[in-house]
């Protein structure tokens, strides 16, 4: 699922989500937020609950919360994912996201 308050290539994002979900058991939600002055991580945590990412049966929801105008993103995963995924994985995800922002590919 993609929620957006910022111009985004929804078809490209949906295709990337579908490809990622075919490789894993997680349920991925991407939320793209327009510019705001609040705390990005706190807003992402609220979105995690509001968008139902925390309500999956297997506790396998993942939220990618992106704020392009601030070059910030937050990845939040539910307990079922944390139980199976090594913390080094999240470091790689963060590095990859940072590289995309540097290249303005978001």
């Amino acid at each position: 699922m993609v929620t957006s308050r910022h111009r985004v290539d929804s078809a490209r994002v949906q295709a990337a989500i579908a490809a990622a979900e075919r490789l894993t058991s997680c349920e991925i939600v991407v939320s793209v937020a327009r510019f705001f002055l609040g705390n990005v991580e706190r807003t992402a945590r609220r979105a995690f609950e509001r968008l139902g990412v925390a309500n999956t049966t297997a506790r396998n929801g993942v939220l990618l919360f992106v704020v392009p105008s601030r070059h910030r993103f937050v990845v939040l995963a539910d307990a079922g994912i944390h139980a199976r995924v090594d913390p080094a994985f999240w470091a790689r995800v963060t590095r990859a996201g940072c590289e995309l922002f540097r290249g303005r590919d978001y």
Side-chain angles (χ1 to χ4, degrees):
M1 169 177 33
V2 178
T3 66
S4 177
R5 295 182 214 139
H6 189 80
R7 185 172 293 243
V8 65
D9 185 345
S10 292
R12 182 176 170 205
V13 174
Q14 289 286 1
I17 291 170
E21 287 181 337
R22 280 191 296 273
L23 299 174
T24 181
S25 65
C26 70
E27 296 182 37
I28 301 169
V29 175
V30 176
S31 180
V32 181
R34 67 178 182 226
F35 179 77
F36 64 91
L37 298 175
N39 181 294
V40 175
E41 187 166 331
R42 183 177 24 222
T43 303
R45 290 190 185 286
R46 278 191 245 134
F48 189 85
E49 297 295 328
R50 182 177 45 81
L51 296 171
V53 181
N55 297 333
T56 62
T57 303
R59 305 282 314 240
N60 63 342
V62 175
L63 172 67
L64 176 58
F65 185 79
V66 184
V67 185
S69 63
R70 292 184 55 190
H71 296 215
R72 299 281 313 273
F73 69 96
V74 176
V75 181
L76 297 175
D78 210 344
I81 297 295
H82 282 296
R84 295 176 158 215
V85 176
D86 184 343
F89 173 79
W90 300 115
R92 290 192 304 275
V93 168
T94 301
R95 280 194 302 276
C98 289
E99 288 301 316
L100 292 172
F101 269 110
R102 281 189 199 100
R104 296 216 177 263
D105 187 16
Y106 47 81

